[in-house]
Amino acid sequence: MPSDIAIGIVETRGVVALSAGIEAMIKTADVRCVAVERVTSGYLAVAVQGSLAAVRQAVAAGEAAVRAHGDLRSSQVYPKPHPTTAALLEDPEAARIREVMASLRGES
């Protein structure tokens, strides 16, 4: 896994705010959207992947867009994710995020 790969996650309430956040993240930096998950009723999360600098820039832009269109619940950037991080996501609802973590570790 390249040392500059990172994952950024933004959690919000509402589809409109989530859509605005995704749009801002994709347009602002060279990242790719790797997961969109329903966390609980009304709360959604999006995960993006790219270089550490790009993910930081994308998450900052996503936070601003989400705040402008709804409620930002939380956000986090994971630089060079450790394999233990994947174990924290061992939940059936987080299948897509687990796939991303596995691909970052080079597993098939």
Side-chain angles (χ1 to χ4, degrees):
M1 166 175 75
S3 63
D4 69 339
I5 291 294
I7 290 178
I9 299 175
V10 174
E11 185 179 353
T12 184
R13 191 177 77 190
V15 175
V16 173
L18 180 75
S19 298
I22 292 170
E23 187 77 6
M25 288 190 281
I26 299 294
K27 287 182 175 179
T28 300
D30 185 21
V31 295
R32 111 186 139 95
C33 181
V34 292
V36 176
E37 295 288 332
R38 179 179 168 264
V39 177
T40 186
S41 181
Y43 289 99
L44 303 138
V46 59
V48 294
Q49 174 186 345
S51 70
L52 179 55
V55 169
R56 283 185 176 156
Q57 183 179 15
V59 168
E63 289 172 344
V66 166
R67 283 188 183 109
H69 294 90
D71 297 328
L72 176 68
R73 187 165 186 201
S74 67
S75 66
Q76 183 68 39
V77 174
Y78 296 95
K80 198 169 124 179
H82 190 275
T84 306
T85 305
L88 297 173
L89 299 172
E90 290 299 321
D91 182 277
E93 293 292 319
R96 295 262 310 166
I97 294 175
R98 282 199 316 275
E99 290 173 16
V100 171
M101 297 302 292
S103 71
L104 287 173
R105 291 193 310 266
E107 300 173 4
S108 301

